[in-house]
Amino acid sequence: AGSFEVAFQDYAAPLDAPLTTRWIVRHRLEKTAPDAARSPVKEPIVYYVERGVPEPVRSALLDGAGWWSAAFERAGSIDAFRVELLPEDAHP
């Protein structure tokens, strides 16, 4: 399975331990109705595509990543995952 990592140097680590510390980014989805088989989530996962990405790559990213939304819905989390264009006024 793919994942995103956050890596940093921990200069306070013991001498016999590696300096590099790696964490895997995780998301916590909470349903609005925890006991329901299918329910909307309290806070969806939202990823943004930079507006400077040229076509047809931009459309491919939005369409391809959008397939994950269907997977989350089949798993019972409604409107849990979105991929959108970065808002024009956002500072990346």
Side-chain angles (χ1 to χ4, degrees):
S3 63
F4 298 102
E5 78 171 17
V6 174
F8 59 92
Q9 303 299 317
D10 180 4
Y11 295 105
L15 292 176
D16 61 343
L19 285 178
T20 303
T21 299
R22 291 180 174 87
W23 294 339
I24 292 182
V25 176
R26 295 173 35 148
H27 299 283
R28 179 179 300 266
L29 287 175
E30 294 183 56
K31 292 180 176 181
T32 55
D35 296 331
R38 295 178 40 83
S39 169
V41 297
K42 292 181 181 178
E43 187 175 337
I45 298 168
V46 181
Y47 282 97
Y48 295 98
V49 173
E50 167 64 47
R51 289 182 171 272
V53 174
E55 286 293 346
V57 176
R58 178 193 299 186
S59 294
L61 288 170
L62 292 170
D63 292 342
W67 293 346
W68 280 102
S69 180
F72 279 93
E73 294 226 3
R74 283 193 294 271
S77 297
I78 299 169
D79 192 31
F81 184 86
R82 294 193 315 257
V83 179
E84 304 170 353
L85 279 177
L86 187 68
E88 288 188 26
D89 60 344
H91 185 288

